Each structure stands twice: as C-alpha cells, then as structure tokens.
Amino acid sequence: FGSSVSLETAFRWNLDRDAMADLKIKTYYTFAKFPNPMIVEIFAREKGIDLFAIEKQVDAPGLENRNAEHLARNPAGQLPYLELEDGTVIAETISICEWLEEVKPEP
C-alpha cells in the first residue's frame, strides 16, 4: 500500500457504507487488545462491514464491562457485543459472526 496509506485505511476503502445502514447496529462494544474482538473485526471487514464507525472502546482492564450500565445490557459482561437499534444485544464471538453472516451473506 505504500507508506502513506495505513492498513486500516486500505480496509476501509472496501467497506460497503450503504450496507451498514441496513444492519441497524447501534453500537459495537469492544476492547481492541483482546483476541475475540479481533476475530469479529476481521470477519466483519471480510464482509465489508465497518464496525469501527459504531465502535465504543470499553476499558476492560478497568472492569468497565462489569459496571451496572454494561451488565444491564450484557449480563455476562463479556466483550465484544453488539447492541442493535431495537435494543437487542448479541454477545459471544461466534454468535456475532453468525448474525453478521445471516444479515449480510455476501461476500
């Protein structure tokens, strides 16, 4: 890509911005240094889904994911998780990837 273009920018060029509106994801809660969020983010990028646009970094080492606000949405307190516009929460890496595949089967 050359020194002037980051890998993240290169990925973003291939993301389907119109598809994001159709997914109706309100927020993607994550902690970038954990391996499971990386799996979800790579899977989403492969499908052209831009989770970075709706990402909220959670301070997991500081146990932010265990505070009352997060536990009300996601009682297990794990990361990552998606909150949809209708209030539905999808947690667990495999469940998130399966849901993304279901709502956007191509590519």
Side-chain angles (χ1 to χ4, degrees):
F1 299 112
S3 61
S4 63
V5 178
S6 71
L7 185 57
E8 183 175 326
T9 301
F11 273 119
R12 286 176 180 262
W13 288 341
N14 294 320
L15 300 175
D16 183 353
R17 302 288 182 201
D18 294 331
M20 284 301 296
D22 295 338
L23 295 179
K24 302 197 183 322
I25 302 171
K26 179 179 174 184
T27 310
Y28 171 61
Y29 295 90
T30 186
F31 180 70
K33 294 182 181 179
F34 283 175
N36 287 349
M38 289 180 195
I39 293 167
V40 171
E41 290 154 19
I42 290 167
F43 185 82
R45 286 180 179 188
E46 288 289 324
K47 300 201 69 54
I49 298 169
D50 184 10
L51 293 178
F52 291 106
I54 53 165
E55 175 182 290
K56 177 177 182 324
Q57 285 289 319
V58 177
D59 179 16
L63 299 178
E64 180 183 358
N65 55 313
R66 302 292 181 174
N67 71 26
E69 176 188 349
H70 284 282
L71 292 175
R73 285 190 296 268
N74 181 14
Q78 75 266 21
L79 294 170
Y81 68 96
L82 296 175
E83 181 179 13
L84 306 183
E85 290 177 358
D86 68 1
T88 300
V89 171
I90 303 171
E92 299 287 340
T93 300
I94 299 300
S95 297
I96 293 170
C97 292
E98 287 177 348
W99 182 82
L100 292 172
E101 178 66 26
E102 186 177 310
V103 296
K104 191 173 188 297
E106 297 295 328

